[in-house]
Amino acid sequence: MDLRQINPDLAVSPQILPEDVPALAEAGFKVLINNRPDDEVGADIDHDAMARAAADAGMRYHYLPFHPGQITPQLIADFGAATMGQGPVIAYCRSGNRSTVLWALNQAGRMPEDEILSTADAAGYDLSGVRPLIASLASRKG
């Protein structure tokens, strides 16, 4: 697994497998967020398989599919709710980028834009392309 720590309570990762989930639980993660749409994967790693693996490992599970280019306010809000105060969280998608984008959009208005982008960059994700969206969301939060 290629876990990338975003902050003390959130790590992101490229695709994980059901057999990876017990090790994540043993490492202290309490929540598994799957941002990878089922139409990108086979049945062996679809959301049903991952939900079973999470349940078997005693983790809470959220299926929040993020289709490229199809971000919605509800998806952003659901990601925020799934990560807020729930314990250490691991979120994944194909590369970890979409999970990081969702984190960044949730931080808009809470953290300075430069800090959001540098945190993502330190984890290996260039989010400069979503900077205008981060700025727009931040301006709406006042």
Side-chain angles (χ1 to χ4, degrees):
M1 288 178 286
D2 178 15
L3 301 182
R4 301 177 190 198
Q5 205 69 39
I6 300 296
N7 62 40
D9 295 318
L10 176 66
V12 299
S13 175
Q15 180 69 54
I16 62 171
L17 304 173
E19 54 266 27
D20 296 329
V21 176
L24 293 168
E26 288 175 21
F29 289 101
K30 304 293 184 203
V31 179
L32 178 64
I33 300 175
N34 176 355
N35 295 129
R36 189 130 193 226
D38 278 349
D39 59 7
E40 294 181 3
V41 300
D44 58 328
I45 57 172
D46 71 2
H47 82 275
D48 288 328
M50 297 308 291
R52 281 190 302 277
D56 290 348
M59 295 175 75
R60 288 184 297 282
Y61 176 79
H62 300 274
Y63 178 55
L64 303 173
F66 179 176
H67 292 84
Q70 296 181 17
I71 190 105
T72 65
Q74 188 64 54
L75 180 59
I76 296 167
D78 289 348
F79 187 88
T83 59
M84 191 165 304
Q86 299 295 310
V89 175
I90 177 72
Y92 75 92
C93 55
R94 185 190 62 78
S95 68
N97 191 73
R98 287 177 272 183
S99 298
T100 305
V101 166
L102 288 170
W103 165 81
L105 297 177
N106 270 279
Q107 298 310 306
R110 295 183 187 139
M111 290 173 65
E113 289 174 40
D114 288 340
E115 186 178 342
I116 293 169
L117 295 175
S118 66
T119 299
D121 189 59
Y125 300 105
D126 177 5
L127 300 189
S128 58
V130 296
R131 185 179 198 125
L133 184 53
I134 293 169
S136 176
L137 290 172
S139 72
R140 291 180 195 163
K141 291 179 181 176

